[in-house]
Amino acid sequence: SAVISQKPSRDICQRGTSLTIQCQVDSQVTMMFWYRQQPGQSLTLIATANQGSEATYESGFVIDKFPISRPNLTFSTLTVSNMSPEDSSIYLCSVEWVRRNTEAFFGQGTRLTVV
Amino acid sequence: AQSVTQLDSQVPVFEEAPVELRCNYSSSVSVYLFWYVQYPNQGLQLLLKYLSGSTLVKGINGFEDEFNKSQTSFHLRKPSVHISDTAEYFCAVSGTSGTYKYIFGTGTRLKVLA
């Protein structure tokens, strides 16, 4: 298993500002993902964070709004840019190893409220 | 393409009673199946997973599941629930090859009553 630390755990931000969320894993992992969980809804994949290259975004998500970095195999950041109240969600980091008989592990999430 | 449907948004049940949380899926490819639990203000924790083999899967905290391939269902069961089982439960699928994306259901809120 893996210990995944997300920072901050929660934040309240003004609209128009940006917030960077950090995800730190205690061991090297192959795959890192960022999910969004809007209030009362399920998880939606935002993007796959690729080490050393640009992230792969899902339909409906763009790099200008959600820039992602992954400088090494244990760390990634997600920035929520030019925030609006609609961005109020829980953002979760997830990791998985390339061996396919394992499962995804999740951080505790960042609860973001935009006012 | 894959999709996951959790048939109940909320399930109230009395303590020590049995519970079943229902999950159906559709997929054009082989999938792995997962149940995750989310306690208040926490991330997701794996309850159990079905990769292959026996269709009866036992997970943590006394939960179990039976995979029914013909009906494409993966219902979560527990013979006797506890107050501490109150949480949100998510069913998810992931393809056995290709990308590592997880498709999640909309979640079922289990509320255990004293």
Side-chain angles (χ1 to χ4, degrees), chain A:
Chain A
S1 63
V3 176
I4 305 168
S5 302
Q6 262 188 256
K7 292 181 185 179
S9 59
R10 59 178 61 229
D11 208 341
I12 300 174
C13 300
Q14 296 290 326
R15 67 176 68 199
T17 62
S18 298
L19 176 72
T20 295
I21 303 167
Q22 298 180 0
C23 178
Q24 178 74 55
V25 190
D26 67 345
S27 61
Q28 293 184 346
V29 295
T30 306
M31 311 293 290
M32 294 184 79
F33 307 91
W34 288 97
Y35 286 84
R36 181 174 73 181
Q37 185 180 19
Q38 293 179 300
Q41 297 188 31
S42 188
L43 283 78
T44 302
L45 181 64
I46 297 172
T48 303
N50 301 308
Q51 193 263 330
S53 65
E54 194 171 283
T56 304
Y57 290 84
E58 297 299 305
S59 176
F61 297 96
V62 295
I63 187 171
D64 290 345
K65 177 66 176 177
F66 298 101
I68 288 171
S69 77
R70 191 179 171 190
N72 55 53
L73 293 176
T74 64
F75 185 77
S76 178
T77 66
L78 167 74
T79 299
V80 186
S81 304
N82 188 24
M83 289 183 285
S84 66
E86 291 71 34
D87 294 320
S88 297
S89 292
I90 298 173
Y91 293 86
L92 292 122
C93 170
S94 170
V95 305
E96 189 174 0
W97 285 264
V98 72
R99 188 167 51 93
R100 282 309 275 127
N101 62 343
T102 187
E103 69 272 11
F105 294 89
F106 289 83
Q108 291 197 314
T110 296
R111 185 177 295 271
L112 170 63
T113 302
V114 183
V115 298

Side-chain angles (χ1 to χ4, degrees), chain B residues 22-42:
Chain B
R22 298 180 293 167
C23 175
N24 291 342
Y25 72 95
S26 68
S27 177
S28 56
V29 299
S30 296
V31 294
Y32 297 133
L33 302 155
F34 305 86
W35 276 98
Y36 283 87
V37 59
Q38 186 177 35
Y39 297 104
N41 299 315
Q42 295 189 28

Side-chain angles (χ1 to χ4, degrees), chain B:
Chain B
Q2 296 134 19
S3 67
V4 177
T5 302
Q6 289 186 246
L7 300 167
D8 307 294
S9 60
Q10 294 188 60
V11 174
V13 62
F14 285 102
E15 193 173 18
E16 297 183 5
V19 70
E20 177 180 84
L21 306 182
R22 298 180 293 167
C23 175
N24 291 342
Y25 72 95
S26 68
S27 177
S28 56
V29 299
S30 296
V31 294
Y32 297 133
L33 302 155
F34 305 86
W35 276 98
Y36 283 87
V37 59
Q38 186 177 35
Y39 297 104
N41 299 315
Q42 295 189 28
L44 274 71
Q45 178 183 357
L46 181 72
L47 266 182
L48 51 79
K49 60 185 176 183
Y50 173 79
L51 304 179
S52 65
S54 172
T55 58
L56 180 61
V57 181
K58 292 191 181 296
I60 65 171
N61 300 341
F63 283 93
E64 61 183 32
D65 201 306
E66 186 153 15
F67 171 49
N68 188 321
K69 189 173 184 179
S70 63
Q71 296 184 10
T72 60
S73 66
F74 192 54
H75 301 333
L76 182 69
R77 301 186 180 98
K78 187 169 183 178
S80 176
V81 295
H82 191 269
I83 294 287
S84 59
D85 292 323
T86 295
E88 190 90 19
Y89 291 80
F90 292 96
C91 178
V93 301
S94 174
T96 59
S97 62
T99 67
Y100 299 86
K101 299 178 190 178
Y102 282 66
I103 307 298
F104 284 86
T106 51
T108 297
R109 183 172 298 275
L110 175 64
K111 185 170 178 61
V112 181
L113 309 169

